[in-house]
Amino acid sequence: MEAYEIFRDLAIIILAAKVFGVIAARFRAPQVVGMIVAGIVIGPSVLGWVQQSDFLMQMAEIGVMLLMFVAGLDTDLKELIKTGPAAFAVACAGVFVPLVGGYVLYSCMYGFSPIGSLDFYKAVFIGVIMTATSVSITVQALMEMGRLKTRVGTLILSAAIIDDVIGIIVLTFVIGFRNPGTNPAGVIVNTLLFLAFCAAFGFAFYYLFKFLDSRYEHRRRIPILSLAMCFAFSYVAEHYFGIADITGAYVAGIVLCSIRDSKYIAEKMDISSYMLFGPIFFASIGLKTSLEGLDAGILVFSLAFVAVALVAKIIGCGLTSKLFGYSWPDALKVGIGMMTRGEVALIVAQKGLAVGLMDRRYFTAVILLIVISSVATPILLKLMYRRDEVPRHRGKL
Amino acid sequence: MEAYEIFRDLAIIILAAKVFGVIAARFRAPQVVGMIVAGIVIGPSVLGWVQQSDFLMQMAEIGVMLLMFVAGLDTDLKELIKTGPAAFAVACAGVFVPLVGGYVLYSCMYGFSPIGSLDFYKAVFIGVIMTATSVSITVQALMEMGRLKTRVGTLILSAAIIDDVIGIIVLTFVIGFRNPGTNPAGVIVNTLLFLAFCAAFGFAFYYLFKFLDSRYEHRRRIPILSLAMCFAFSYVAEHYFGIADITGAYVAGIVLCSIRDSKYIAEKMDISSYMLFGPIFFASIGLKTSLEGLDAGILVFSLAFVAVALVAKIIGCGLTSKLFGYSWPDALKVGIGMMTRGEVALIVAQKGLAVGLMDRRYFTAVILLIVISSVATPILLKLMYRRDEVPRHRGKL
């Protein structure tokens, strides 16, 4: 293939992703939904204009990594510590209840399997996919309503951030347990070694960047070197510790989240992300989506999957926040605010596909979950908050 | 290869390119020189840490395309028209004299060949490489001295822009003539058809983006859709007309250079370019540079190549501006200002390599030309302008 031929695919992907993204936004759905649909439409399922290729896969991998890096950079450590116990409890419940819910759902439909068997892990993995609240969608929904800085908003945000961390740890464990040639003890040792690596190099890089930042604030070298660091962390995580590369990117983001230029770095990363890598990542999910496997069985599973995923978050997070002294209406808001799923669920599902813990046809269920939760959450939250006079400011598309 | 393995190469390339770029800047050389050296150091010639791969080649191709797109976007059509005849004449002489100089040099060293033979085109191609003044290096040098808005500065800038266009047309012709299965008439027809395509679609897209711009100024969709358009123009140029893909990207930039958001688009492109694609492009030139072929013969050729390339620009552009009424010192400034070579010379050389019109070992000469001209021009111009009291403002690295 001549190098210039990639331009054709890129032109089609970017154009389709943006057009469908804008259409999605018109219907008050997140743009990510539109981009996935764009991938389905231009991919083998419908028009067949663009096929998966090594190049697109590698670009998509950079896309995921950038997303996780930005999510890490956007982490507000102080806020996280302040909301403390309540957020942690809500996050734990928000991971635990869907995890169990997904496992039980899969096992009820396809039979319970002995602990440690491949089918057992497949059942657990359905639960793992349900665990991750999408920070970006939650934040955007609250921002669109001007409710991010309320008590409920802060709790949701902090819990969603912790939820993300716990979700990634759970993902890493489940994948690690299934890796051929590794045993549970090995996974735990690797995870601990990785934590030690993160602590040592994390602090070293934190102080290095703090020093660089004090001399070169707002200069190009800061985001450029941080991107190199992010690539390095991703590679080291996967290559030397068997930890998901996206975890490395996320940790790199957290390491840099409290230096002065963290917003500046995130801004630069975000531009590359939304201009090129993001659309390719989301569209490539659509390219991978197989609509051919969609039969009655999968449809029933998908609907049950969506119902369990949404209800599990509402029950888990809602009840826990009630325990921490929130009123019933506020507790319900927390539950609904936590039920949005987005790119992280896709990332997890893709990871599962790569390591053979998930079947391609369940992508339909995940996409359905994202579409429904992304559309339902803002609408339900709006109903809950009714018509308050808070000024609304929507992000530029 | 696992997808995550690209992260290793990317981390090394970005880090090395930035570190060497900063070192180059310390020595008042353009960063691009440092990035190329970084590629040589980490590549097979020295350390062997990074090898050329399909993925890096494709990323580099996107890098070139973004550079040319930004160059097109930065074009100031009004300025160009104002300086008019003088700039056009200087540009023509600045293309013609080096073109002949390069051809004569190669033929003198390796023998004259019959017109139309492969060796004839190889000799001409050495001249083609010499034609393109690098706009970015010229502009940066003048800006660093606060001399961009003088009469001499405007002439240099306008001439350099026209020079670029003529240079690309010459490149397209020479490559077109050598393409198997095409004849000169076919090349001319293809070029005319491409011009017709550019005129028709260029105006259509210009009005489309003007309309979009009036509704969505400074919103993400403008740069995103323009990037899609740039990819499309690149692909169409190469695939349907046999015109270099970078020409398509450049034309796409010129089409959009006078809409209100052109600076906004260029800014967004520039970030992706300097964060990731630019360093990969320049470093990959270094990765390709073979130091093994460096023998006495090539060294002599390289030095003669550099001398001819520099003197040809000074004579061609200097004498022509004298003819248009500039004083001898000002004419000399124009000649020196026009002698900088940069990314475009590399792009042209790479294109020649791809179509078999240039040998890999001549890259040494091109890199030497870029290094020497990029270092010499600012120093010589500074000597010419002596110690004037114009405030200096240097770009952030």
Side-chain angles (χ1 to χ4, degrees):
Chain A
M1 191 172 86
E2 290 274 341
Y4 76 87
E5 291 189 23
I6 56 172
F7 295 155
R8 183 184 157 277
D9 290 356
L10 293 178
I12 294 172
I13 290 174
I14 293 172
L15 180 65
K18 192 64 206 172
V19 169
F20 279 82
V22 169
I23 292 171
R26 276 283 150 83
F27 289 98
R28 314 240 151 189
Q31 290 207 58
V32 45
V33 176
M35 293 183 185
I36 297 165
V37 173
I40 298 174
V41 171
I42 62 176
S45 300
V46 185
L47 295 173
W49 288 351
V50 176
Q51 308 293 327
Q52 266 292 356
S53 69
D54 277 359
F55 176 72
L56 289 179
M57 191 196 71
Q58 287 158 328
M59 291 291 277
E61 193 75 13
I62 297 178
V64 188
M65 202 215 61
L66 284 179
L67 278 174
M68 297 306 291
F69 186 42
V70 171
L73 281 167
D74 281 345
T75 304
D76 185 337
L77 281 179
K78 276 183 202 156
E79 186 121 326
L80 210 111
I81 293 163
K82 206 170 59 189
T83 341
F88 188 74
V90 168
C92 286
V95 167
F96 184 72
V97 180
L99 187 62
V100 172
Y103 167 72
V104 171
L105 169 71
Y106 187 91
S107 301
C108 284
M109 290 191 72
Y110 302 105
F112 284 82
S113 306
I115 291 174
S117 68
L118 180 60
D119 278 325
F120 170 78
Y121 282 111
K122 280 188 175 174
V124 171
F125 202 82
I126 293 296
V128 173
I129 296 170
M130 290 185 181
T131 59
T133 290
S134 170
V135 189
S136 60
I137 291 176
T138 307
V139 169
Q140 211 189 321
L142 288 169
M143 262 191 356
E144 284 183 22
M145 303 204 307
R147 295 290 184 180
L148 194 60
K149 297 290 168 196
T150 59
R151 190 167 161 245
V152 170
T154 308
L155 177 63
I156 294 176
L157 183 54
S158 308
I161 290 164
I162 301 172
D163 168 295
D164 233 33
V165 179
I166 300 176
I168 286 179
I169 292 175
V170 170
L171 168 68
T172 305
F173 260 77
V174 172
I175 287 179
F177 279 121
R178 278 307 308 165
N179 244 7
T182 55
N183 52 42
V187 174
I188 291 170
V189 168
N190 261 348
T191 307
L192 290 177
L193 283 177
F194 180 66
L195 286 177
F197 165 85
C198 289
F201 283 84
F203 274 104
F205 277 102
Y206 170 72
Y207 285 109
L208 173 65
F209 273 88
K210 218 174 148 177
F211 167 74
L212 288 174
D213 211 14
S214 67
R215 292 192 59 173
Y216 308 111
E217 195 177 1
H218 276 25
R219 287 177 69 173
R220 288 181 177 180
R221 57 186 69 176
I222 301 288
I224 292 173
L225 292 178
S226 72
L227 180 61
M229 175 194 153
C230 171
F231 280 126
F233 266 63
S234 302
Y235 178 74
V236 168
E238 179 113 24
H239 190 75
Y240 294 106
F241 300 101
I243 306 273
D245 51 2
I246 51 172
T247 312
Y250 189 70
V251 169
I254 288 179
V255 166
L256 300 181
C257 79
S258 48
I259 70 169
R260 270 190 304 179
D261 256 349
S262 66
K263 270 207 190 327
Y264 179 73
I265 300 171
E267 204 181 285
K268 301 296 173 200
M269 297 301 154
D270 202 37
I271 290 169
S272 290
S273 181
Y274 75 69
M275 289 290 299
L276 188 59
F277 294 105
I280 294 175
F281 169 61
F282 293 118
S284 79
I285 299 293
L287 288 179
K288 265 184 219 132
T289 308
S290 166
L291 290 184
E292 286 162 38
L294 190 70
D295 52 34
I298 285 296
L299 204 64
V300 169
F301 174 82
S302 297
L303 293 175
F305 176 86
V306 172
V308 170
L310 299 185
V311 171
K313 280 278 180 188
I314 294 177
I315 291 176
C317 302
L319 283 187
T320 311
S321 37
K322 183 74 185 80
L323 286 179
F324 276 82
Y326 284 72
S327 67
W328 277 116
D330 278 358
L332 187 55
K333 280 175 204 153
V334 173
I336 289 170
M338 290 290 289
M339 79 184 192
T340 46
R341 310 301 209 289
E343 57 270 29
V344 182
L346 284 172
I347 295 166
V348 171
Q350 207 180 355
K351 211 75 212 172
L353 187 66
V355 299
L357 276 178
M358 207 194 76
D359 205 279
R360 189 176 292 261
R361 60 205 184 118
Y362 295 132
F363 258 107
T364 318
V366 180
I367 289 168
L368 206 63
L369 172 59
I370 293 171
V371 174
I372 292 178
S373 69
S374 308
V375 175
T377 300
I379 295 169
L380 289 177
L381 281 177
K382 211 181 280 176
L383 286 176
M384 297 287 302
Y385 277 114
R386 298 235 181 81
R387 291 167 190 275
D388 295 355
E389 278 84 3
V390 178
R392 299 174 69 229
H393 39 82
R394 303 182 58 211
K396 287 182 181 177
L397 307 178
Chain B
M1 191 172 86
E2 290 275 341
Y4 76 87
E5 290 189 24
I6 56 171
F7 295 154
R8 181 183 159 278
D9 289 356
L10 293 178
I12 294 172
I13 290 174
I14 293 172
L15 181 64
K18 193 63 206 174
V19 169
F20 279 82
V22 169
I23 293 172
R26 276 284 150 81
F27 289 99
R28 314 241 150 188
Q31 291 207 60
V32 46
V33 175
M35 293 184 185
I36 297 166
V37 173
I40 297 173
V41 171
I42 62 176
S45 300
V46 186
L47 295 173
W49 288 352
V50 176
Q51 308 293 326
Q52 265 293 356
S53 68
D54 277 358
F55 176 71
L56 290 180
M57 190 197 70
Q58 287 157 328
M59 292 291 277
E61 193 74 13
I62 297 178
V64 188
M65 201 216 62
L66 284 179
L67 279 174
M68 296 306 291
F69 186 42
V70 171
L73 281 167
D74 281 344
T75 304
D76 186 337
L77 281 179
K78 277 184 200 156
E79 187 120 327
L80 210 111
I81 292 163
K82 208 170 56 189
T83 341
F88 187 74
V90 168
C92 285
V95 168
F96 183 72
V97 180
L99 186 63
V100 172
Y103 166 73
V104 171
L105 169 71
Y106 187 91
S107 301
C108 283
M109 291 192 73
Y110 301 106
F112 284 83
S113 305
I115 291 173
S117 68
L118 180 61
D119 278 326
F120 170 78
Y121 282 111
K122 279 190 176 173
V124 170
F125 202 82
I126 293 296
V128 173
I129 296 170
M130 290 184 180
T131 60
T133 291
S134 169
V135 189
S136 60
I137 291 176
T138 308
V139 169
Q140 209 189 322
L142 288 169
M143 263 193 352
E144 285 183 24
M145 305 204 307
R147 293 291 183 180
L148 194 59
K149 297 290 167 197
T150 59
R151 189 165 162 245
V152 169
T154 308
L155 177 63
I156 294 175
L157 182 54
S158 308
I161 290 166
I162 301 173
D163 169 295
D164 234 33
V165 179
I166 300 176
I168 286 178
I169 291 175
V170 171
L171 168 69
T172 305
F173 261 76
V174 172
I175 287 179
F177 280 121
R178 279 308 307 165
N179 245 7
T182 55
N183 52 41
V187 173
I188 291 169
V189 169
N190 261 347
T191 307
L192 290 177
L193 282 177
F194 180 66
L195 285 177
F197 165 84
C198 290
F201 282 84
F203 274 104
F205 277 103
Y206 170 71
Y207 286 110
L208 174 66
F209 273 89
K210 219 175 147 177
F211 167 74
L212 288 173
D213 211 16
S214 66
R215 292 192 59 172
Y216 307 113
E217 195 178 1
H218 277 27
R219 286 177 69 174
R220 288 181 178 181
R221 56 186 70 176
I222 300 289
I224 293 173
L225 293 178
S226 72
L227 181 61
M229 175 193 151
C230 171
F231 280 127
F233 265 63
S234 303
Y235 178 73
V236 168
E238 180 113 23
H239 191 73
Y240 294 106
F241 300 100
I243 305 274
D245 52 1
I246 50 172
T247 311
Y250 189 68
V251 169
I254 288 180
V255 166
L256 299 181
C257 79
S258 48
I259 69 168
R260 271 190 305 181
D261 256 350
S262 66
K263 272 206 189 328
Y264 179 73
I265 300 172
E267 204 182 286
K268 301 297 172 199
M269 297 301 152
D270 202 38
I271 291 169
S272 289
S273 182
Y274 75 69
M275 289 290 299
L276 188 59
F277 294 105
I280 294 175
F281 169 61
F282 293 118
S284 80
I285 298 292
L287 288 179
K288 266 184 219 133
T289 308
S290 164
L291 290 183
E292 285 163 40
L294 192 70
D295 52 36
I298 286 295
L299 205 64
V300 169
F301 174 81
S302 298
L303 293 175
F305 176 86
V306 171
V308 169
L310 299 186
V311 170
K313 280 279 180 189
I314 294 177
I315 291 176
C317 302
L319 283 187
T320 311
S321 38
K322 183 75 185 78
L323 285 179
F324 276 81
Y326 284 73
S327 68
W328 277 116
D330 278 358
L332 186 56
K333 280 175 203 154
V334 172
I336 290 171
M338 290 289 291
M339 79 184 193
T340 46
R341 309 300 208 289
E343 58 270 29
V344 182
L346 284 172
I347 294 167
V348 172
Q350 208 181 353
K351 212 73 211 175
L353 188 66
V355 300
L357 277 177
M358 208 194 77
D359 207 278
R360 188 176 295 260
R361 60 205 184 118
Y362 296 131
F363 258 107
T364 318
V366 181
I367 289 168
L368 206 63
L369 171 59
I370 292 170
V371 174
I372 292 178
S373 69
S374 309
V375 175
T377 299
I379 296 169
L380 289 177
L381 280 178
K382 210 181 281 175
L383 287 175
M384 297 286 304
Y385 278 112
R386 299 235 181 79
R387 290 165 192 277
D388 295 355
E389 279 84 359
V390 178
R392 299 173 71 231
H393 39 85
R394 301 180 60 211
K396 287 181 180 177
L397 307 178

